[in-house]
Amino acid sequence: MLQNKKKNILEFWMKNQLADEGLREDLISNDELRSQSEELITALVSNLSGDNFTNLDADEWSPVIEILGGIAITRARQGFSPRETGNFVFSLKEAILDVLQQEITNDPMALFKESQKVNRLMDNLSVVTFETFIKGREEVILRQTDEITEISTPVIRVWDGILALPIIGTLDSARTQIVMENLLQEIVETGSSIAILDISGVPAVDSLVAQHLIKTVSATRLMGAECIISGIRPEIAQTVVHLGIDLSNIITKATLASALAYSFKVMRLEVRKINTVTKF
Amino acid sequence: MDKIPILRMGAFLLVTIQVDLYDRLALNLEADLVQMVNKTGAKGVLIDISAVSIVDSFMGRIIGNIASMSKILDAETVVVGMQPAVAITLIELGLPLKGVHTALDMERGMNLLKSIIEVTDDEDRYPETDDLIAE
């Protein structure tokens, strides 16, 4: 019966969706919405057969679920809110119920039964939608985390033979590993003999992080370069001492500037102001 | 059996390890090197490990041993050209190679060795080695 009413349902559904005040015209165009909806309904209706209403694991449902999943993931990436995505499916339910009501006018029992079936089906479908939506969001978050780790540990060549690594954000084992690898690789590539590890952007240091820092410094030393830690905040200095971490074998400087000045001294470089012509 | 060549260059001994060391080879190198230091009266040992891509704790210890033995025989050891992966491995194994000098490449290692030996020479002069260092 629903098969014949496909067009009707689609119309109702579109009307419902368009009437919704929360419709995000900035994120999705009407045409796109319509084609998405049409695709879903076609799949839904063509796979309907009397007895598979409740069993979503049945093979007939996999194309529907696939389409729904696709839509949910796209929406997650586009930045739809969960409510908006949910409404997409709920409004379909309303549309189908409306059509059912128009069709079955003289038999309340039958109407009730059919409605219940549709209810159950659509609820199941919306759960699937939500699951996929959340999965999509998690993927987005994971990708962003990866990107942040990538971006947040740049190795900068501040001078010929001097590298600097500003570290911003909390240091954990995974990040320290990346920092260490990037640093050592860059030392080999540029032939730098001094690396400055600036931790002024690190909010907190615990014993594990300190351990990682010491490891990084030792590894740099093994490579034949020198590693200076700069930008240790007073609070961090306090914690380090309270934790009983020994940083005495490591060269530490208060600021990146003083670390750079120290590096110049080690490399026997001199930077000074040029006397201007007017003075003569 | 493979043998790692030890070259003499003035007051220094040069060891370039071009293959991945296996335990036996490393032990032989250690023995040969100590003999060589003794025989030539070398003041510095330069070990180039830029071609070594894998180390284990045994290798790390051998390098440490070579350094301490040379030190006893009055020679400084400089290890040059360590690969990042090797450095990370040694650190993770808890072998920071104390007492070993390191440099990025052969050239810097040589300069480092020269400067170290000059410093020690200023403190207590060894007249018989002066001409060797001068070259």
Side-chain angles (χ1 to χ4, degrees), chain A residues 177 180-181 184-185 187-188 190-193 214-216 218-225 249, chain B residues 79-88 90-92 95-98 101-105 108:
Chain A
Q177 191 71 24
M180 200 198 273
E181 277 165 20
L184 297 188
Q185 199 55 50
I187 286 176
V188 171
T190 61
S192 303
S193 49
I214 293 173
K215 271 186 187 170
T216 310
S218 317
T220 334
R221 194 173 288 159
L222 273 186
M223 301 266 307
N249 317 329
Chain B
V79 173
V80 302
M82 192 181 290
Q83 296 292 319
V86 173
I88 293 175
L90 284 181
I91 291 306
E92 294 296 337
L95 292 165
L97 299 187
K98 288 220 167 73
H101 303 284
T102 48
L104 276 177
D105 49 39
R108 288 171 210 236

Side-chain angles (χ1 to χ4, degrees), chain A residues 18-266:
Chain A
L18 293 176
D20 188 356
E21 287 190 357
L23 184 70
R24 298 286 291 267
E25 274 168 17
D26 52 334
L27 290 179
I28 191 162
S29 70
N30 278 351
D31 291 342
E32 211 176 321
L33 187 63
R34 179 174 269 275
S35 73
Q36 270 186 2
S37 313
E38 206 167 344
E39 191 187 7
L40 181 61
I41 289 192
T42 318
L44 184 67
V45 172
S46 61
N47 287 302
L48 271 183
S49 64
D51 52 349
N52 60 1
F53 254 70
T54 46
N55 185 13
L56 267 188
D57 293 331
D59 286 342
E60 304 94 280
W61 286 113
S62 58
V64 180
I65 290 175
E66 210 167 280
I67 291 170
L68 210 53
I71 294 174
I73 284 188
T74 336
R75 292 195 162 207
R77 292 206 185 116
Q78 282 168 333
F80 278 88
S81 75
R83 176 189 287 268
E84 284 152 5
T85 315
N87 276 347
F88 174 71
V89 181
F90 287 137
S91 57
L92 172 62
K93 179 160 94 175
E94 270 170 37
I96 296 179
L97 288 180
D98 279 352
V99 172
L100 273 182
Q101 201 176 17
Q102 282 179 358
E103 285 301 303
I104 313 171
T105 40
N106 44 11
D107 189 352
M109 269 321 274
L111 177 62
F112 176 70
K113 264 192 183 150
E114 287 300 315
S115 312
Q116 218 172 20
K117 271 189 196 169
V118 170
N119 254 331
R120 211 173 293 149
L121 170 69
M122 294 313 294
D123 285 351
N124 269 334
L125 284 182
S126 48
V127 168
V128 170
T129 317
F130 259 95
E131 275 175 354
T132 348
F133 180 81
I134 289 169
K135 219 189 275 167
R137 284 303 274 254
E138 271 167 6
E139 272 167 26
V140 170
I141 292 169
L142 224 77
R143 203 188 58 226
Q144 286 170 344
T145 318
D146 281 353
E147 274 166 14
I148 289 171
T149 342
E150 273 298 303
I151 306 166
S152 62
T153 51
V155 183
I156 305 161
R157 207 169 144 191
V158 283
W159 207 271
D160 195 25
I162 304 174
L163 295 178
L165 265 113
I167 300 175
I168 293 158
T170 321
L171 271 177
D172 55 27
S173 306
R175 276 193 74 196
T176 330
Q177 191 71 24
I178 295 172
V179 167
M180 200 198 273
E181 277 165 20
N182 284 352
L183 174 63
L184 297 188
Q185 199 55 50
E186 203 64 19
I187 286 176
V188 171
E189 272 163 30
T190 61
S192 303
S193 49
I194 292 182
I196 304 170
L197 214 60
D198 188 76
I199 59 165
S200 40
V202 178
V205 168
D206 57 20
S207 52
L208 202 65
V209 171
Q211 199 61 42
H212 285 314
L213 285 176
I214 293 173
K215 271 186 187 170
T216 310
V217 174
S218 317
T220 334
R221 194 173 288 159
L222 273 186
M223 301 266 307
E226 206 171 345
C227 193
I228 305 165
I229 296 182
S230 75
I232 299 179
R233 298 190 203 176
E235 311 91 64
I236 291 181
Q238 257 181 319
T239 359
V240 165
V241 172
H242 283 162
L243 287 171
I245 297 158
D246 184 21
L247 290 183
S248 57
N249 317 329
I250 296 174
I251 306 162
T252 50
K253 294 282 167 215
T255 58
L256 187 61
S258 50
L260 198 57
Y262 172 83
S263 316
F264 285 153
K265 219 168 74 190
V266 171

